[in-house]
């Protein structure tokens, strides 16, 4: 396309819909706006508003991509983007976990999907480690006791971190970072994963069966995704198999734990303490969890550091760029190659 000063514009032929807003990668978004034929910003529009706007834009054609930095709650699915079928080729999402994306539907309409898997890996691992330390030191109870005028009432000596046996469920990028951090405190790391890692990748962690993870760990840390059949993976049976007085930390997805079963295990004392960043019905943790002084709570913000969020935002844009320039996003979680729409 010729511009006013006679040069040739290098704009792509792509139309990009932006859901939500970036917090840090604003210069990058301004630059990307200049690279593409058209950009529509939906900001923090509600689900109903997005559905209406998509219907309105679709007949124009050329809306080939969506980047989701936030925006409407609920699943990214046919209800939201159905009218873009035939033109949509890429959806990039700011989450590492993507249980809120109907990837099968995107594949069926020939669209690539990428998540943002590494930007927040380190901060999530740090938060997981923080919870492990809070559990071993009984930090929530101590804090609340002092605030209400007490001191060491009922306090027993804490478990030492040196030699503490921690079981990591899901040894991907984040699990490995948590392993590294906890090994720094002298903890012994067990892990269960879909694959047994090579000794170089294990770095001293011991691969065990799921049952051994439950029975041998003093603290279990969840780093799995919800996609891989992990719904209610931890319920009454699994809590009963865990050591009496052990701890559980969840920085993955709330529904990996059957929250009612966790409450029963905490009430009986079989699970002594927990650190939770995610819940089955966010933003409403089970009422018992709000009253239990053996549970540390966090509002699904385990990865939310400045560097982490900026990293995620850039990952989304890099994936869009890959798709535009090479036809495949680097963090593709599906492959629509060969799908005829
Ligand atoms: O929970 C946060 C994420 O999946 O990135």
């Amino acid at each position: 396309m010729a511009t006013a000063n006679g040069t040739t514009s290098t704009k792509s032929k792509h139309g990009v819909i932006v859901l939500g807003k970036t917090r840090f990668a604003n210069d990058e978004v301004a630059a990307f706006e200049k690279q593409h034929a058209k950009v529509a910003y939906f900001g923090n529009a509600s689900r109903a508003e997005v559905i209406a706007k998509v219907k309105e834009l679709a007949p124009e054609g050329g809306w080939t991509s969506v980047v989701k930095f936030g925006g409407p709650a609920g699943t990214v699915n046919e209800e939201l983007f159905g009218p873009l079928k035939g033109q949509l080729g890429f959806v990039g999402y700011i989450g590492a976990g993507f249980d809120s994306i109907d990837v099968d539907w995107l594949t069926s309409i020939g669209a690539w999907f990428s998540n943002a898997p590494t930007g927040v890996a380190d901060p999530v691992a740090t938060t997981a480690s923080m919870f492990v330390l809070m559990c071993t030191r009984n930090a929530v109870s101590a804090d609340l006791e002092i605030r209400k005028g007490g001191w060491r009432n009922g306090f027993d000596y804490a478990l030492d971190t040196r030699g503490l046996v921690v079981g990591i469920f899901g040894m991907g990028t984040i699990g490995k970072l948590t392993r590294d951090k906890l090994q720094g405190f002298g903890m012994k790391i067990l892990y269960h994963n879909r694959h047994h890692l090579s000794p170089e990748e294990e770095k001293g962690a011991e691969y065990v069966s799921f049952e051994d993870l439950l029975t041998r760990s003093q603290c279990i840390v969840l780093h799995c995704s919800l996609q891989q059949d992990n719904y209610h993976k931890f319920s009454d049976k699994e809590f009963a198999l865990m050591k009496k007085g052990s701890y559980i930390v969840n920085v993955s997805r709330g529904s990996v734990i059957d929250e009612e079963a966790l409450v029963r295990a905490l009430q009986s004392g079989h699970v002594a303490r927990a650190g939770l960043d995610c819940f089955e019905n966010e933003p409403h943790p089970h009422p018992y969890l709000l009253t239990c002084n053996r549970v540390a709570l966090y509002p699904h913000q385990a990865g939310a550091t400045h560097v982490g969020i900026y990293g995620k935002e850039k990952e989304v844009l890099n994936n869009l760029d890959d798709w535009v320039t090479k036809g495949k996003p680097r963090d593709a979680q599906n492959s629509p190659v060969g799908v005829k729409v």
Side-chain angles (χ1 to χ4, degrees):
M1 185 174 97
T3 61
N5 64 10
T7 57
T8 304
S9 136
T10 53
K11 281 192 174 209
S12 80
K13 61 181 186 338
H14 296 278
V16 187
I17 293 174
V18 182
L19 297 182
K21 292 181 182 159
T22 50
R23 171 82 189 276
F24 301 104
N26 300 329
D27 290 349
E28 288 83 347
V29 168
F32 116 105
E33 184 174 340
K34 295 198 188 97
Q35 291 158 17
H36 301 298
K38 52 185 180 180
V39 179
Y41 292 99
F42 285 12
N44 291 326
S46 69
R47 191 170 177 89
E49 284 165 344
V50 170
I51 291 171
K53 280 167 184 268
V54 167
K55 265 195 198 131
E56 200 183 302
L57 287 185
E60 246 178 49
W63 294 103
T64 61
S65 24
V66 170
V67 285
K68 186 172 181 345
F69 296 106
T75 310
V76 168
N77 57 9
E78 186 168 10
E79 181 192 38
L80 214 55
F81 292 126
L84 299 181
K85 183 174 163 184
Q87 52 189 304
L88 189 62
F90 169 77
V91 173
Y93 173 57
I94 193 155
F98 50 93
D99 41 292
S100 62
I101 311 288
D102 187 345
V103 181
D104 288 344
W105 177 71
L106 290 175
T107 310
S108 78
I109 63 158
W112 290 92
F113 169 72
S114 73
N115 64 342
T118 51
V120 290
D122 189 81
V124 171
T126 299
T127 303
S129 308
M130 172 193 82
F131 278 139
V132 174
L133 295 174
M134 288 180 83
C135 285
T136 58
R137 288 293 188 273
N138 208 359
V140 177
S141 276
D143 180 275
L144 292 174
E145 186 62 28
I146 296 171
R147 284 176 203 276
K148 66 174 202 221
W151 192 236
R152 293 176 186 161
N153 306 341
F155 267 77
D156 201 353
Y157 295 127
L159 283 183
D160 204 303
T161 56
R162 291 165 298 180
L164 189 87
V165 180
V166 177
I168 297 180
F169 181 63
M171 194 62 124
T173 308
I174 307 177
K176 288 176 190 157
L177 287 164
T178 299
R179 169 204 61 200
D180 297 346
K181 291 174 196 289
L182 296 182
Q183 282 175 336
F185 290 100
M187 297 180 194
K188 153 94 183 148
I189 309 296
L190 311 178
Y191 75 98
H192 183 73
N193 199 37
R194 274 168 302 156
H195 316 290
H196 185 165
L197 304 178
S198 67
E200 299 76 55
E201 277 186 297
E202 275 180 342
K203 288 206 193 146
E206 180 187 341
Y207 178 78
V208 294
S209 67
F210 183 54
E211 185 160 336
D212 279 358
L213 190 90
L214 296 172
T215 56
R216 287 178 57 193
S217 305
Q218 291 169 285
C219 177
I220 292 184
V221 182
L222 308 188
H223 280 312
C224 56
S225 71
L226 185 55
Q227 285 95 340
Q228 290 138 15
D229 296 334
N230 285 328
Y231 179 77
H232 283 191
K233 183 78 180 172
F234 287 76
S235 190
D236 292 303
K237 180 170 145 246
E238 291 71 28
F239 289 126
L241 282 171
M242 283 171 64
K243 276 187 191 302
K244 182 160 173 45
S246 56
Y247 316 140
I248 189 154
V249 167
N250 190 7
V251 290
S252 61
R253 284 291 183 268
S255 301
V256 175
I257 289 183
D258 174 351
E259 211 162 274
E260 293 280 353
L262 173 63
V263 165
R264 286 189 284 277
L266 283 162
Q267 282 169 332
S268 75
H270 191 80
V271 170
R273 294 172 204 151
L276 306 171
D277 176 55
C278 43
F279 305 89
E280 280 214 78
N281 178 26
E282 294 175 4
H284 303 294
H286 189 292
Y288 175 77
L289 299 174
L290 304 180
T291 64
C292 180
N293 65 358
R294 292 172 286 125
V295 182
L297 305 169
Y298 217 61
H300 203 140
Q301 290 268 281
T305 65
H306 287 209
V307 173
I309 299 299
Y310 187 26
K312 269 183 174 214
E313 291 174 353
K314 284 191 291 191
E315 277 181 295
V316 174
L317 295 174
N318 289 339
N319 274 291
L320 171 65
D321 201 48
D322 284 349
W323 177 68
V324 166
T325 56
K326 301 178 202 145
K328 180 181 173 181
R330 71 191 68 178
D331 299 309
Q333 296 297 334
N334 68 343
S335 176
V337 172
V339 174
K340 295 250 183 307
V341 185

